[in-house]
Amino acid sequence: MTPAESAGARTRRFIVYRYDPERDDKPRMQEFELPLTGEERMLLDALMKLKALDPSLSFRRSCREGICGSDGMNINGWNGLACLTNMRTLGDTIVLKPLPGFPVIRDLIVDMTQFFRQYHSIRPYLVNDEPPPAKERLQSIEARDELNGLYECILCACCSSQCPSFWWNPDKFVGPAGLLWAYRFLADSRDEASGERLDNLADPYRLYRCRTIMNCTNVCPKGLNPARAIGKIREMMVRRAV
Ligand code: SF4
Ligand code: SF4
Ligand code: FES
């Protein structure tokens, strides 16, 4: 292996889902041979080179830091963020598809409308009708710690798009991302709407369509655990029923 090869310089084969509804009758997979120098540390770096080769290739990206959540896609069969996927973890052939279960707008860009509709349905904001204090609503250190592992969600949809229950019922099942956010506010000591929040989820589909398959937790690129949050909401449902 030459020094350049050991630094990651080699040609990789990309097989990419292509679909432009204005020009194509149906989707197709397009192959690219892309010579890389080894400077492309993350998949997003390689994708930018691919776009230079074919400017019609469409995908979303913004922050390139795992913060904006816009470059979620299916990478060799598993959802992830292109900007957080190290090229060293991928083989010589890389298959890229849009997030499964979501309508495709073009190439790797999906329609997130239903996903965000579910997110908004859980009222993703603090509800507290007490007059706000002069400075801020204080929490104990322990109460604040309860929000760790919840507030970090960047709404990339990798989890909901890997969840079979969400594929079949995206209009009825809130999905792992929305339920993680629901628990983020249920767990917040400053929020006063726990009763209404649980009422809003007490339905055969909205919460209970989760079958504990755990794809959501296994796929989250931020290392979060939506399945645990869903379990916590179920516990709250049981506790208030007794
Ligand atoms: S829980 Fe993880 S995978 Fe799901 S939307 Fe949030 S950051 Fe993305
Ligand atoms: S644990 Fe529940 S929410 Fe997560 S992937 Fe499985 S069915 Fe979907
Ligand atoms: S580009 Fe923002 S999360 Fe990847």
Side-chain angles (χ1 to χ4, degrees):
M1 195 183 278
T2 65
E5 280 169 342
S6 64
R10 63 186 204 256
T11 296
R12 305 246 202 159
R13 187 160 149 256
F14 284 80
I15 305 177
V16 186
Y17 179 101
R18 302 299 308 268
Y19 179 55
D20 177 351
E22 289 182 5
R23 295 163 56 153
D24 303 326
D25 292 338
K26 55 182 187 324
R28 65 199 154 90
M29 299 302 287
Q30 184 177 2
E31 291 199 27
F32 299 88
E33 295 287 330
L34 185 68
L36 298 172
T37 63
E39 288 162 356
E40 307 81 0
R41 212 158 68 84
M42 297 298 178
L43 174 60
L44 183 58
D45 303 324
L47 267 173
M48 297 307 287
K49 291 213 162 164
L50 214 51
K51 188 161 176 69
L53 210 65
D54 180 348
S56 71
L57 176 64
S58 303
F59 54 90
R60 291 193 182 105
R61 86 276 182 269
S62 179
C63 70
R64 68 155 182 81
E65 296 284 353
I67 299 299
C68 72
S70 63
D71 61 341
M73 59 187 68
N74 191 269
I75 307 159
N76 290 341
W78 202 237
N79 291 348
L81 295 172
C83 66
L84 292 189
T85 302
N86 195 306
M87 288 298 283
R88 287 179 191 275
T89 65
L90 302 173
D92 285 334
T93 299
I94 299 165
V95 181
L96 301 177
K97 293 183 185 168
L99 289 176
F102 285 31
V104 175
I105 294 176
R106 179 170 166 168
D107 296 343
L108 302 174
I109 298 176
V110 293
D111 183 349
M112 309 272 282
T113 307
Q114 189 63 63
F115 173 79
F116 279 109
R117 197 170 283 144
Q118 291 294 8
Y119 166 67
H120 288 295
S121 80
I122 62 91
R123 299 171 82 194
Y125 44 82
L126 199 74
V127 177
N128 187 321
D129 292 334
E130 296 297 315
K135 223 170 165 190
E136 61 187 303
R137 295 187 196 275
L138 293 175
Q139 283 186 298
S140 68
I141 291 173
E142 294 75 24
R144 169 61 189 77
D145 283 349
E146 289 294 318
L147 307 183
N148 290 341
L150 302 171
Y151 76 90
E152 301 95 327
C153 171
I154 57 171
L155 292 168
C156 66
C158 286
C159 57
S160 294
S161 155
Q162 200 93 55
C163 169
S165 294
F166 193 73
W167 295 341
W168 308 134
N169 296 286
D171 53 335
K172 297 192 193 121
F173 175 46
V174 173
L179 290 170
L180 181 101
W181 277 95
Y183 184 61
R184 180 252 172 272
F185 289 99
L186 282 164
D188 194 318
S189 61
R190 301 162 298 179
D191 190 90
E192 293 181 334
S194 288
E196 291 100 305
R197 291 184 188 282
L198 292 176
D199 289 345
N200 177 257
L201 297 173
D203 161 293
Y205 280 91
R206 284 180 62 69
L207 169 69
Y208 293 107
R209 206 65 192 172
C210 169
R211 298 292 191 236
T212 326
I213 301 161
M214 298 297 285
N215 277 6
C216 52
T217 298
N218 293 334
V219 84
C220 176
K222 301 293 283 186
L224 308 181
N225 192 342
R228 177 181 172 274
I230 293 168
K232 290 279 182 188
I233 300 174
R234 286 181 161 175
E235 279 172 31
M236 291 178 89
M237 287 286 191
V238 171
R239 255 186 274 128
R240 82 163 179 170
V242 291

